[in-house]
Amino acid sequence: MMNKSPSGSLCPYYYMGGELHPLKYGSYFKNKDKLFAVMKAEEEFILKSPGLNNRRIWIDLYETTIDDEVIDTLVLHIITIRSKINKLCLVGCSILVRCKIRKQFKARTMDIAQQIKFFSDPEEAKQWLIGKPY
């Protein structure tokens, strides 16, 4: 049976024979309160799920204003759920935001920084997550 996660994604989401967990954090524009509430609910949902290192997560950030506060919250969110992450990619953020996110992880000496990929194209992101060439 398929369920929806708090961000509105089908969970699990099947794509080309693989199973993904999309986190829809896009289209919040400047509404940080709503974004942060969804992130917190998604975090609780993921942490309650069985297994470790078993989620291929795709974070959609299109049309959400990403300032330093959002970056800090997003990085802490990823750190909190890292025990569940097998692969992680972020889609829809600028090169400047990518650099700031990587810098945050490095400042916290988080090895997950090397495991994160950034994409502009959601299809390429999903293909990378399931191990298909893009």
Side-chain angles (χ1 to χ4, degrees):
M1 180 173 135
M2 289 195 293
N3 297 316
K4 285 199 174 190
S5 72
S7 66
S9 300
L10 288 178
C11 189
Y13 173 79
Y14 296 102
Y15 178 81
M16 294 178 69
E19 189 176 302
L20 308 177
H21 186 137
L23 300 179
K24 294 182 181 180
Y25 299 157
S27 299
Y28 284 96
F29 302 96
K30 293 182 181 184
N31 191 341
K32 291 184 206 179
D33 292 337
K34 194 169 182 182
L35 171 64
F36 295 162
V38 168
M39 289 171 78
K40 185 66 176 166
E42 195 69 58
E43 188 174 291
E44 291 169 3
F45 178 82
I46 290 169
L47 292 175
K48 287 180 184 175
S49 69
L52 295 174
N53 195 31
N54 62 347
R55 294 204 178 241
R56 288 178 255 173
I57 297 176
W58 160 41
I59 299 177
D60 166 13
L61 295 167
Y62 285 109
E63 297 182 333
T64 293
T65 302
I66 305 172
D67 61 13
D68 290 342
E69 182 183 13
V70 172
I71 290 170
D72 290 343
T73 303
L74 180 64
V75 167
L76 290 173
H77 173 59
I78 292 168
I79 289 169
T80 302
I81 64 171
R82 76 178 178 270
S83 66
K84 301 288 188 169
I85 298 171
N86 177 270
K87 283 177 118 174
L88 173 70
C89 66
L90 287 85
V91 182
C93 52
S94 70
I95 291 173
L96 178 62
V97 168
R98 294 175 188 191
C99 291
K100 287 182 175 185
I101 290 171
R102 285 196 189 280
K103 187 176 179 180
Q104 285 271 347
F105 280 118
K106 287 178 184 173
R108 291 179 165 97
T109 61
M110 299 302 303
D111 58 347
I112 197 168
Q114 303 305 318
Q115 299 168 341
I116 296 173
K117 285 252 192 189
F118 294 88
F119 291 91
S120 298
D121 182 340
E123 291 304 310
E124 287 181 5
K126 291 186 278 188
Q127 289 175 21
W128 175 78
L129 283 171
I130 62 167
K132 303 270 186 195
Y134 51 92

